């Protein structure tokens, strides 16, 4: 029961703290550009405002367009919740495999492109093709980095990778393997 509560707490914290992290990134980018930037809690205000708006659907939209936002949110949330953020060895840590998380995020991106194409407008097609083009450039680099870390740790299970990187002797060995500059 305690393991289930810890996993649920992590899932809830990931959901609640994600807008705060977005606000922190926006604030840091603004400070680096010597601007004041938006308030730290602005993403929470934006979410409240967006949730209060009414739904706008095109006449040609099918069930896929209506369901996609919920599925994309669910897939992304599950992928983010499987990452050992606040601890390792949770109830669902066995399912927190790099390959499963990549599959969840890839499915969310695929659904987003399908939803953009579903309406049948030129703007939807342009947006979907741009999204897929950016994915084809960014995701191979991300996969190389993630699987390099997994190769060093000897496992694709994220709890094992996190435990390996957190252990003092292994972390030092990984970082001291390259000659100093």
């Amino acid at each position: 029961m305690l393991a289930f509560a810890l996993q649920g707490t992590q899932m809830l914290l990931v959901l609640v703290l994600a807008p705060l992290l977005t606000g922190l990134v926006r604030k840091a980018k603004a400070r680096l550009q010597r601007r004041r930037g938006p308030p730290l809690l602005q993403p929470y205000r934006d979410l409240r405002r967006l949730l209060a708006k009414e739904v706008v659907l095109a006449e040609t939209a099918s069930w896929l367009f209506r369901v996609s936002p919920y599925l994309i949110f669910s897939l992304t949330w599950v992928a983010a919740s499987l990452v050992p953020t606040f601890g390792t060895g949770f109830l669902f840590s066995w399912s927190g495999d790099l390959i499963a998380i990549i599959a969840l995020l890839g499915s969310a991106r695929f659904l987003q492109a399908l939803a953009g194409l579903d309406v049948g407008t030129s703007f939807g097609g342009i947006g979907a093709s741009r999204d897929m083009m950016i994915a084809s450039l960014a995701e191979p680099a991300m996969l190389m980095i993630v699987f390099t870390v997994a190769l060093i740790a000897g496992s694709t299970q994220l709890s094992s990778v996190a435990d390996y990187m957190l252990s003092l002797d292994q972390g030092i060995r990984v970082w001291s393997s390259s000659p100093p500059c």
Side-chain angles (χ1 to χ4, degrees), residues 46-54:
D46 293 342
L47 279 173
R48 188 183 70 222
R49 189 187 75 236
L50 288 172
L51 289 174
K53 287 186 172 186
E54 73 178 67

Side-chain angles (χ1 to χ4, degrees), residues 26-129:
R26 289 179 184 169
K27 192 71 154 175
K29 283 171 85 175
R31 291 289 183 190
L32 288 172
Q33 296 172 355
R34 295 182 181 245
R35 296 184 296 115
R36 187 172 177 196
L40 198 59
L41 299 178
Q42 185 65 41
Y44 291 105
R45 293 184 194 124
D46 293 342
L47 279 173
R48 188 183 70 222
R49 189 187 75 236
L50 288 172
L51 289 174
K53 287 186 172 186
E54 73 178 67
V55 177
V56 177
L57 289 174
E59 293 177 7
T60 58
S62 72
W63 64 271
L64 180 68
F65 187 80
R66 292 178 183 92
V67 171
S68 289
Y70 303 108
L71 291 175
I72 292 167
F73 174 77
S74 300
L75 289 169
T76 307
W77 186 27
V78 168
S81 298
L82 290 178
V83 175
T85 309
F86 302 105
T88 59
F90 286 142
L91 183 64
F92 297 115
S93 64
W94 59 269
S95 62
D97 193 75
L98 287 172
I99 297 167
I101 291 173
I102 290 169
L104 287 168
L105 293 175
S107 299
R109 186 175 294 274
F110 177 71
L111 276 171
Q112 186 173 2
L114 276 181
L117 291 172
D118 182 56
V119 180
T121 64
S122 59
F123 291 114
I126 290 170
S129 68

Side-chain angles (χ1 to χ4, degrees), residues 138-176:
E139 287 181 5
M142 179 197 68
L143 289 174
M144 288 296 291
I145 292 168
V146 165
F147 283 122
T148 300
V149 171
L151 185 63
I152 291 170
S155 175
T156 58
Q157 187 178 8
L158 282 176
S159 287
S160 301
V161 171
D163 286 336
Y164 183 85
M165 291 303 191
L166 288 175
S167 66
L168 187 59
D169 55 340
Q170 303 301 331
I172 291 173
R173 188 185 79 192
V174 169
W175 292 109
S176 66

